[in-house]
Amino acid sequence: MAAALGEDEIDNDDYYSLLNVRREATQDELKASYRRLCMLYHPDKHRDPELKRQAEQLFNLVHQAYEVLRDPQSRAIYDVYGKRGLEVEGWEVVERKRTPAEIREEYERLQREREERRLQQRTNPKGTISVGIDATDLFDAYEEDYEEISGGGGGGGGLPHVEINRMHISQSIEAPLTTSDTAILSGSLSTHNGNGGGNINVALRRVTSAKGWGEVEFGAGDTHGPLFGLKIFRNLTSRCFDCFYCKLHFSSRGIRPGLTTMLARHLDKNTMGYLQWRWGTQSSMNTSIVRDTKSSHFTFAVQLGIPHTFIMMSYQYKFQDDDQTKIKGSVKSGFFGTVVEYGAETKISRHSVLGATVSVGVPQGVSLKIKLNRASQTYFFPIHLTDQLLPSAVFYATVGPLVFYLAIQRLVIRPYVRAQQEQEIEKQRESSASDIAKKKQEAEAAVLLMQESVRRIIEAEESRMGLIILNAWYGKFVTDNSRKHERARVIDVTVPLQCLVKDSKLILTEASKAGLPGFYDPCVGEEKSLKMLYQFRGVMHQVLCGDTEALRIPKQCEYANQTKQSAVDLEHLF
């Protein structure tokens, strides 16, 4: 059963929505809603054979929902597994005599086991491809041509020369051996101006306890020779951890040892402090503070070392939008010079993030770095534009990628994403067509059964100038002018909503309204809403709410205003 329920299948029947109660509803709330629906759908209230048959089906569905939710054990099973969890014979996963808390605990245990099995089947591949491009001839050639022209020469002529001067490819995979042991295989190839090499590494990692793990690494290559490394990670306290890494490089020049240790501590909920010491070919001491919140990321670092000594500060702002857009800037200054970087990144599809960064520094010049993250793969393109600080290079490096991205976004990405979404929605519609047709028949039958009750409710509400639903529609409404070509897909739900009115009040819980009696989903996979025009105390009102939003009408302000107006009218009478 665990396997059967692990496929993320969705039950179409929402018992809470059918009874129009909260998921935290008490037994009294369940009983009150059940009795009201029983009075509406009881087969004995209908003489017509067809209506009687339809009422019997709906009555049995309401009774089934109530029987499940009124029993604490079956309700806990339904909350965790859905309707399919109740349909398994024998209930192999847990015993029905267990308490709801024990059932949920058992479910969490099964979830962890499934995650472990899923982890063992994954290799978790990670890769990076970096292509370095030398485009200095685009800008530095301008000055050379100007010198030739001013000196009486004939000019440079020809197209600027752009070449790929370096490449780097790295890949790694993980192979879980047991729940605590993992083997990691990684390799890389690099080339620069015609010279290159590669290496391959194998690491074995063991989780020793909840507080730490250890890793042994073996490597070989033609750039550094054989390698042996040992890495240890340990949680010292709940807010502090330490990482220790030592390595030995074997070459024709002898053994070159290296040692790196890092101590980190949580300074507060969003801030980490790091202290790192490195000894070996590039000895250094580094301290940094990193603050990461929902809307920003800040880093301040200072390093003393040979040959790299610098101070660095960076800031990143995160927009709270669907594309997860981020803008960032940093300043880094040291013995090598000063570098200022600024850039942005945004999500262009479900699994892809595109970013661009402009780097301006002395003596490095101007560079443009483009990065694309696709799932677990990273594609990096550093483009060196000029060795000097030319305003033209900075301008084109900034404006060029922005214009190119906007054009690609409008002409390629948006149409592609829209087409993908439409294909997914169409597939979803096709797979659920038969079920939706059945739901539609049930909704139409429910509306027929409600007619007499609705007539009595309207008469009662009119006599007291209460709540009368004039018109109500449920589904997808097209309001954007750019999408007027799309057809709105809505259904009339005036009768079902009027049937839910009690004591001049209509209350809908936080659940999809497609599960309410008399409703069905007219546009599977798309965003839906409820639009209603109603009359209360002789005054018309209009309301629009989302599919899963709770709704209560009349609103308190409407009720208070009408009560106040009635009191004023009463004063004038006397």
Side-chain angles (χ1 to χ4, degrees):
M1 174 183 173
L5 296 176
E7 299 174 355
D8 298 331
E9 298 176 347
I10 300 176
D11 292 325
N12 292 309
D13 294 330
D14 186 345
Y15 288 160
Y16 291 98
S17 182
L18 178 63
L19 298 179
N20 192 27
V21 294
R22 302 173 298 118
R23 297 192 73 85
E24 303 82 12
T26 63
Q27 291 294 327
D28 291 338
E29 292 173 335
L30 288 171
K31 187 180 296 183
S33 178
Y34 171 65
R35 286 180 176 176
R36 190 157 184 266
L37 292 174
C38 283
M39 292 176 62
L40 179 65
Y41 296 134
H42 202 286
D44 295 342
K45 297 185 63 176
H46 304 277
R47 295 182 179 180
D48 184 272
E50 181 62 22
L51 290 178
K52 193 177 186 70
R53 184 186 63 81
Q54 294 172 350
E56 186 174 355
Q57 292 178 353
L58 292 171
F59 180 83
N60 291 336
L61 183 60
V62 170
H63 180 72
Q64 180 185 14
Y66 177 66
E67 287 298 318
V68 169
L69 298 184
R70 70 189 291 263
D71 179 66
Q73 282 77 19
S74 61
R75 183 174 180 177
I77 294 169
Y78 175 78
D79 288 345
V80 173
Y81 294 105
K83 184 180 176 182
R84 287 181 175 83
L86 300 165
E87 295 173 350
V88 176
E89 285 188 33
W91 186 246
E92 293 90 345
V93 177
V94 294
E95 301 176 14
R96 289 185 178 270
K97 64 182 181 181
R98 294 192 180 185
T99 64
E102 291 174 334
I103 292 174
R104 290 188 175 90
E105 184 179 350
E106 181 72 7
Y107 171 74
E108 292 174 358
R109 185 187 66 81
L110 290 170
Q111 283 286 82
R112 288 194 297 269
E113 290 181 358
R114 275 200 295 271
E115 286 298 323
E116 290 178 359
R117 287 195 298 269
R118 192 176 300 173
L119 179 64
Q120 292 177 8
Q121 297 170 357
R122 291 171 53 192
T123 58
N124 193 24
K126 297 179 182 178
T128 301
I129 297 178
S130 177
V131 179
I133 301 174
D134 184 359
T136 55
D137 201 35
L138 290 173
F139 296 95
D140 293 343
Y142 292 166
E143 292 191 354
E144 297 173 2
D145 293 345
Y146 177 76
E147 290 175 0
E148 292 178 1
I149 293 173
S150 62
L159 295 175
H161 182 62
V162 178
E163 64 177 4
I164 296 175
N165 59 0
R166 66 176 65 193
M167 288 188 66
H168 175 79
I169 301 175
S170 63
Q171 188 75 31
S172 68
I173 58 173
E174 296 181 0
L177 306 177
T178 65
T179 56
S180 58
D181 296 327
T182 303
I184 304 170
L185 177 65
S186 61
S188 65
L189 291 172
S190 300
T191 177
H192 179 50
N193 291 332
N195 298 319
N199 61 75
I200 184 170
N201 290 10
V202 177
L204 297 175
R205 179 183 298 170
R206 161 163 285 192
V207 178
T208 55
S209 66
K211 292 186 176 181
W213 49 267
E215 182 177 296
V216 178
E217 180 183 12
F218 303 92
D222 55 0
T223 54
H224 300 291
L227 166 71
F228 171 78
L230 176 65
K231 185 181 293 185
I232 298 174
F233 176 88
R234 180 76 176 177
N235 282 313
L236 303 178
T237 65
S238 59
R239 303 183 60 179
C240 183
F241 66 86
D242 178 63
C243 186
F244 173 84
Y245 177 57
C246 65
K247 61 182 179 180
L248 295 175
H249 268 126
F250 299 88
S251 65
S252 57
R253 299 180 179 180
I255 301 176
R256 291 182 297 172
L259 177 66
T260 302
T261 180
M262 181 183 68
L263 180 67
R265 177 178 173 80
H266 287 274
L267 303 180
D268 60 34
K269 181 181 178 181
N270 300 309
T271 309
M272 289 286 296
Y274 298 90
L275 182 62
Q276 185 183 69
W277 177 67
R278 178 182 298 164
W279 173 79
T281 53
Q282 294 185 351
S283 300
S284 65
M285 287 189 64
N286 182 294
T287 181
S288 60
I289 296 176
V290 179
R291 180 171 178 79
D292 191 12
T293 65
K294 185 178 180 180
S295 61
S296 64
H297 182 93
F298 174 79
T299 302
F300 178 79
V302 177
Q303 177 171 302
L304 301 175
I306 302 174
H308 299 298
T309 295
F310 63 84
I311 181 172
M312 187 270 290
M313 182 171 60
S314 69
Y315 178 80
Q316 182 182 86
Y317 181 78
K318 308 172 186 176
F319 290 91
Q320 305 302 312
D321 57 0
D322 295 337
D323 295 333
Q324 301 177 8
T325 306
K326 304 174 184 177
I327 57 174
K328 53 187 176 181
S330 68
V331 178
K332 187 176 181 180
S333 181
F335 292 163
F336 56 83
T338 300
V339 177
V340 177
E341 291 188 345
Y342 57 91
E345 68 176 43
T346 185
K347 188 176 182 180
I348 59 175
S349 69
R350 183 182 303 178
H351 303 292
S352 301
V353 177
L354 179 65
T357 303
V358 179
S359 178
V360 182
V362 178
Q364 289 86 352
V366 182
S367 298
L368 172 63
K369 304 173 184 177
I370 299 174
K371 183 171 67 172
L372 173 64
N373 288 332
R374 174 68 179 173
S376 59
Q377 303 295 313
T378 301
Y379 305 91
F380 188 53
F381 301 92
I383 306 172
H384 190 199
L385 299 177
T386 174
D387 293 324
Q388 306 176 50
L389 294 182
L390 298 179
S392 59
V394 177
F395 174 79
Y396 285 112
T398 305
V399 177
L402 183 60
V403 174
F404 180 77
Y405 167 75
L406 293 177
I408 294 297
Q409 176 79 2
R410 182 175 295 273
L411 300 177
V412 179
I413 297 176
R414 287 183 181 176
Y416 174 77
V417 172
R418 190 180 300 118
Q420 290 291 105
Q421 291 175 347
E422 291 175 354
Q423 288 180 5
E424 292 179 3
I425 292 174
E426 190 61 31
K427 289 180 181 178
Q428 200 170 357
R429 286 178 189 161
E430 293 175 358
S431 62
S432 59
S434 59
D435 185 70
I436 293 300
K438 178 183 175 183
K439 293 292 182 184
K440 182 179 179 181
Q441 292 178 356
E442 292 179 356
E444 292 172 348
V447 170
L448 289 175
L449 297 172
M450 294 174 183
Q451 296 292 344
E452 183 61 28
S453 296
V454 167
R455 184 184 62 80
R456 292 196 300 268
I457 292 172
I458 291 177
E459 289 178 355
E461 292 297 323
E462 286 179 342
S463 65
R464 67 177 74 154
M465 295 187 66
L467 179 61
I468 299 177
I469 309 299
L470 301 176
N471 282 302
W473 302 270
Y474 172 69
K476 176 186 176 183
F477 298 90
V478 179
T479 57
D480 189 353
N481 291 330
S482 63
R483 302 174 65 183
K484 284 295 184 182
H485 65 280
E486 296 186 16
R487 182 173 57 88
R489 289 185 289 274
V490 298
I491 58 174
D492 189 336
V493 291
T494 306
V495 172
L497 288 180
Q498 185 68 66
C499 192
L500 293 175
V501 173
K502 183 180 180 182
D503 299 329
S504 298
K505 295 178 184 178
L506 174 63
I507 301 175
L508 302 180
T509 60
E510 292 182 351
S512 176
K513 295 167 181 58
L516 290 170
F519 282 64
Y520 68 93
D521 193 342
C523 46
V524 177
E526 298 187 67
E527 186 176 349
K528 293 171 283 291
S529 54
L530 175 65
K531 189 175 183 179
M532 191 187 318
L533 182 67
Y534 65 93
Q535 180 177 298
F536 179 68
R537 297 288 192 263
V539 180
M540 295 180 60
H541 303 273
Q542 185 173 326
V543 66
L544 178 68
C545 71
D547 185 27
T548 58
E549 291 181 17
L551 177 67
R552 179 188 179 97
I553 58 173
K555 299 178 181 179
Q556 294 295 331
C557 59
E558 295 170 0
Y559 186 82
N561 290 339
Q562 294 300 327
T563 304
K564 183 178 180 180
Q565 185 63 40
S566 299
V568 172
D569 294 341
L570 192 61
E571 283 184 16
H572 287 303
L573 287 176
F574 293 95

